[in-house]
Amino acid sequence: MGDTEVGTGVRAELRAYIEEAFLYLHPDVELRDHDQFLELGVIDSLGFVELVEEVQTRYGIAVDALEITEENFGSLDALVAFVERRR
Amino acid sequence: MCGVAGIVRADRDAVVAEEVLRGIAGALRHRGPDGWGYARGPGYGLVSTRLAIFDVPGGWQPMRGPAGTLLVYNGEVYNHPELRRELGGAFATTCDAEVVLRLLEREGLAALDRLNGQFAFAWWEPDARRLTLVRDRFGVRPLHWAMLPDGGIAFASEAKALFASGEVAAAPDLAGIDEVFTTWGARAPRTAFAGVAQLPPGGLLVWEDGAVVAQRTWWAPDYDASDVAPAADDLSDLLADAVRLRLRADVPVGTYLSGGLDSSLITALAQQASDHELRTFSVAFHDARYDERAFQQQVATALGTRHHVVEVGLCEIADGFRAVVAHAETPLIRTAPVPLYLLAQATRAHGITVVATGEGADELFWGYDLFKETALRELHAREPGRAEALLDELYPYLDVPAERRGPAWKRFFFEAGAPGDPLFSHQPRITATGIVRAFYRPEVAAALASGAVPANGAAAGAASAALARLRAELPPAFARWSALERAAYLELTTLLAPNLLAAQGDRVAMAHGVEGRFPFLDHRVFAHSVALPPERKLGPGLREKAELRALAERLLPRAVVERPKQPYRAPEVAPFFGEHAPEWVAERLEARALDDVGIFDPVRVAGLLRRCRSGKANGFREGMALVGILSTQVWHERFCGLGTAGAWPAERSEPRVRLDAAEGITSR
């Protein structure tokens, strides 16, 4: 149960961050957990710079350049899985 | 230095009313606070407002030459004493304007190549009914024009004089505004106003009896290097001469001292050439992240100048912002012009009306980080490992905040643009700046979109009309130039002229009747910089401005020569939020005000404001977005809003010059 709660916490935190930092520029978008950021156009290349920085500082994770992939950062689901795996 | 303007009608008998000329003069009074004059005759009216620098008692304009042609002239030709000797004969004044007029009457436009200086002028040949507008090589001095419905033409140093004439209405040009939010300034002939054009740097236009018959550039930056690399000492002599010429004035001269290499070097050379105590003027920031006062003081002390400092905090930036937008006549992307506006104000208050600065050195000698970054990104395409290692080594010398040193930034940095792309050097900046365009209302984005832009309008830096025009207008030789020469050309033509010399240069200085002079933008210094081998600009280890640094070592304190370059910036978000923020900020950013202007989307802007108010909008992109949106709102209110009539009270004083060939003809 503890893991699920952490998962929910990370998911809620990251969703709140993404909504606040990026989605205000896309008022028509309802972001679902599996939606791809790039595909939807809600986070651009410089947005990923900010997103990676946020993940590093918020969760104390050192992200390697090679880890910056769609598998790890491409959607809310991917992000949550990456953070849970790494922290 | 002055303001110039005029109206020429297609109808050769039409009269331009004196009241219209007074209106125009009123709008340009700040450029020429010492007095004004006009000339008019059948079908034309010319106006000059004067800031007296040479021949203070004489030298009033408009000026009539021996052949009967008329000149209104803004700026300086520094080699006028030499040209005067060459021309020979008697002169009515000791003013450079008279030399230019005589040369034009004798040689026509062939004379332009011989002028060393910064100028914009209009030359009227009444018999031929020919008006020639000319702007200096780098675009130091501004010149705007508009076609009139009857086939006539109106021109003015600043667009506000066109509006004050009653002949031209102010309305936004979305394409021009979009250029501001793509490459940081609308590029000539475009402006932010529909129906108002500007002459390009090094450009000329000829109107003859009802139609524009020629538009071309008489000078353009060319990087096809000469075969002979200059000798090591050449720059020292050349720059000393460029400074010496620019100290010529019949009034006291000062320098702006930023604390960096370029302005320090100019100050040192000015001190050597000056026969009186040199005055130096600097901006200091309350916020230590922007402040360079320790370096400024070091230079001032070492050189023994009489130094003045203007302290700038958040309130000063907020309070000066609207006036700066009104002078700049364009939406802005940064607040950086505001401290320079305040600096000019202080300079004037100390009785100095002419200042030399270091502007241009970074473009000519590859000083900006952009040049290092371009070199690295180009290397990355061939040797990624080496480029990444070099970037790590360079970080201490690059002005990048912490978040731009992370792994994701590196990825972005090295993947932004392909080396073969003509705009390769500028793609990271273009992409970053695209944030402002993401705030457009959907219908504005749609109106601007070419086929390649996704419908959401948020595709920062994607193919746009602004970039398509830029690509299409690159000179044929561009393809032959190296990546760094291309970068330099783009810096000169997309940033220096449309932004640094305009909103951040001429307009904020002339707002207070202060003239900036730029020794590095002497065309001989430019030719020298082009001929230098690349490694004497961007040196070993990507150390910038190698040739200038070598010269500076002989003239300046070691700490100033060796310090890492610090770009000039000012706070962008903080001035406009919190207790000290003026009320008009919130008012201009309300949904209703945004709807009235019709460019930015209130829902998106509200999201940005939430982040600004909660202190989360710390990134450089959101700073650009806020300044871009707020300045557009202020700009629109000032120029295109209701009740802008009467914004520039007409000139009521007696003209110092009145060349009136129209008296007795009924005014209309």
Side-chain angles (χ1 to χ4, degrees), chain B residues 447 496 543 565 636 654:
Chain B
L496 183 74
R543 196 78 166 108
K565 179 173 171 53
H636 192 279
E654 276 305 293

Side-chain angles (χ1 to χ4, degrees), chain B residues 281-336:
Chain B
F281 298 88
S282 295
V283 171
F285 288 99
H286 296 163
D287 187 332
R289 285 171 297 177
Y290 304 98
D291 191 55
E292 299 181 70
R293 80 181 79 193
F295 289 104
Q296 296 157 357
Q297 191 57 59
Q298 216 169 352
V299 176
T301 305
L303 298 176
T305 68
R306 192 159 150 209
H307 190 54
H308 305 274
V309 175
V310 177
E311 290 257 357
V312 177
L314 301 180
C315 291
E316 285 79 11
I317 291 176
D319 291 344
F321 189 74
R322 283 194 299 183
V324 166
V325 171
H327 281 286
E329 305 184 325
T330 171
L332 304 172
I333 206 99
R334 311 196 109 174
T335 54

Side-chain angles (χ1 to χ4, degrees), chain B residues 420-473:
Chain B
D421 175 3
L423 306 184
F424 173 70
S425 58
H426 282 61
Q427 285 299 358
R429 181 187 295 164
I430 291 166
T431 303
T433 309
I435 184 81
V436 193
R437 304 168 69 231
F439 287 88
Y440 286 156
R441 302 164 88 85
E443 66 270 24
V444 169
L448 285 166
S450 64
V453 178
N456 65 16
S464 69
L467 294 180
R469 183 169 92 86
L470 176 57
R471 288 175 194 280
E473 293 176 6

Side-chain angles (χ1 to χ4, degrees), chain A residues 5-63:
Chain A
E5 275 164 30
V6 171
T8 313
V10 169
R11 187 176 298 274
E13 281 170 13
L14 285 172
R15 172 175 278 280
Y17 165 71
I18 285 165
E19 284 179 353
E20 196 253 357
F22 300 106
L23 292 187
Y24 74 86
L25 276 172
H26 304 273
D28 307 332
V29 171
E30 281 286 343
L31 186 75
R32 292 164 300 179
D33 286 6
H34 63 272
D35 282 336
Q36 295 293 308
F37 300 141
L38 269 180
E39 216 167 278
L40 273 183
V42 294
I43 303 185
D44 66 0
S45 52
L46 272 168
F48 277 101
V49 175
E50 290 163 34
L51 175 61
V52 171
E53 184 61 22
E54 177 72 18
V55 166
Q56 293 200 112
T57 49
R58 189 185 286 244
Y59 301 106
I61 298 170
V63 178

Side-chain angles (χ1 to χ4, degrees), chain B residues 507-530:
Chain B
R507 301 328 157 69
V508 285
M510 288 310 288
H512 302 290
V514 171
E515 170 177 307
R517 295 184 174 185
F518 313 111
F520 285 109
L521 294 179
D522 187 309
H523 63 284
R524 300 169 304 165
V525 178
F526 175 80
H528 173 93
S529 77
V530 168

Side-chain angles (χ1 to χ4, degrees), chain B residues 232-257:
Chain B
D233 283 342
D234 286 0
L235 181 62
S236 168
D237 297 343
L238 192 49
L239 207 50
D241 192 57
V243 170
R244 182 184 63 82
L245 288 183
R246 279 160 185 78
L247 292 183
R248 283 179 170 170
D250 296 340
V251 295
V253 173
T255 68
Y256 279 177
L257 191 54

